[in-house]
Amino acid sequence: STSPLAGPARCRPAMGGSSSSPLAGCQPGATAASGGPIVLSVVRTGAWGMGLDEDVWQVEVPAIATVADLKAQVAELYGLPAEAQQLGLSSGSSPQAALGDAVQVQTLVGKRIYMDPAPVPAGLAAGGPLGDFDLGASSPEEEAIMAGMAEMMFGAAQESHEVDQALVESLQGVTYKVVFQRPQDAGGLAAGKKVQLELDALALVGDVQMMVEVELFGSAGAEPAFMVFEGTPLPPHLPLFHAGIEDGKTVIVAKDRPPPTEEELMMMNLLGGGGMLEDGSAMRA
């Protein structure tokens, strides 16, 4: 191969690095003789939704490599297509501030390189089957992005299974005091009302919602209600602890469901949601 990445340019996770990283054992910024390999720190940001705020991967590439070669190496080592990656010198960089594929990696030695998901194509963000975008007419780049995101999300679910199991065991018998607030502008009998309930940390959102509705409205189903925590709708099958709800937290009992996030739109496309949200309600235009 004529590629500058030909040969065993790879690393194994360094001491103290994430146990989920398949690579390491390289020293960040380490170089061999002139023209030899360079080890770069690639920070997988929390935007990937893999359960951790971030994870640092040590990736080894030849000194003559470019950012495009670095993406290719990440793709080879982690199974994430290059098209799904956006690399930059800060987390959450705009596409305009992202590192171009032609940038030489020698200029990045000693710097942390942040890997965010590549922006969702405009047609895909419009909703795929939920809008005018035709998944059957996806470009190879769009398909690669979707495949990469799917692999990362489902791979993360598998990796976190054992951790979740241990956490569930540790939360047996643990209770949280949680505040549920109905906004004033929601109107109705419970406008502006708050209630505090002591709940099992493992309780499902759907079960909790019925209890909350009885406390606020006198009966379940009396008024439209959507459980929202920190701006994100809570799926009924999610345990409280998994939603990040802890002792003293406040959950909003909204009258209307918040607009779907970009992550929800992408997940619905991946799963062929056909315009349905996790709670079974129809997606609004």
Side-chain angles (χ1 to χ4, degrees):
S1 168
T2 59
S3 168
L5 290 177
R10 45 181 79 215
C11 295
R12 295 275 178 257
M15 293 291 291
S18 167
S19 61
S20 63
S21 300
L23 314 173
C26 306
Q27 296 299 318
T31 63
S34 178
I38 292 176
V39 178
L40 299 170
S41 295
V42 177
V43 181
R44 189 214 66 213
T45 69
W48 292 96
M50 295 179 67
L52 298 174
D53 289 337
E54 64 178 36
D55 191 12
V56 181
W57 297 343
Q58 308 302 334
V59 182
E60 182 179 288
V61 293
I64 61 172
T66 63
V67 166
D69 298 321
L70 175 59
K71 289 181 179 179
Q73 187 71 340
V74 171
E76 177 185 346
L77 297 171
Y78 292 91
L80 177 62
E83 295 86 352
Q85 306 170 36
Q86 175 179 288
L87 303 184
L89 296 180
S90 63
S91 178
S93 296
S94 67
Q96 293 75 21
L99 293 169
D101 286 349
V103 172
Q104 296 290 316
V105 296
Q106 285 182 321
T107 66
L108 305 175
V109 173
K111 300 178 181 179
R112 285 164 70 91
I113 303 166
Y114 292 85
M115 183 181 69
D116 288 303
V120 178
L124 186 57
L130 312 177
D132 297 329
F133 185 76
D134 181 3
L135 285 178
S138 301
S139 69
E141 179 179 341
E142 290 167 345
E143 291 177 354
I145 291 174
M146 293 298 294
M149 290 295 289
E151 186 170 349
M152 290 292 282
M153 285 187 284
F154 292 118
Q158 291 180 329
E159 291 174 5
S160 64
H161 177 69
E162 291 185 2
V163 175
D164 282 348
Q165 286 296 104
L167 188 55
V168 166
E169 292 179 7
S170 70
L171 289 173
Q172 294 290 340
V174 174
T175 60
Y176 298 148
K177 291 182 179 179
V178 183
V179 174
F180 296 87
Q181 179 179 359
R182 183 70 160 179
Q184 184 67 44
D185 60 10
L189 296 175
K193 185 177 179 181
K194 293 182 181 180
V195 296
Q196 179 177 278
L197 299 178
E198 185 168 355
L199 303 164
D200 193 301
L202 302 176
L204 299 181
V205 169
D207 295 335
V208 171
Q209 179 165 342
M210 288 191 290
M211 298 169 58
V212 171
E213 289 187 25
V214 170
E215 291 290 329
L216 289 176
F217 313 127
S219 64
E223 295 186 24
F226 297 89
M227 306 279 273
V228 181
F229 180 61
E230 296 182 348
T232 301
L234 299 177
H237 62 269
L238 200 66
L240 292 182
F241 84 90
H242 220 299
I245 298 172
E246 299 174 343
D247 203 51
K249 296 293 186 179
T250 297
V251 175
I252 301 300
V253 185
K255 179 181 179 181
D256 300 306
R257 191 187 195 286
T261 63
E262 184 174 295
E263 183 177 298
E264 286 180 303
L265 288 172
M266 182 169 290
M267 180 62 76
M268 284 185 282
N269 278 286
L270 289 172
L271 301 179
M276 300 302 292
L277 299 167
E278 288 191 31
D279 62 3
S281 60
M283 186 34 194
R284 294 178 298 170

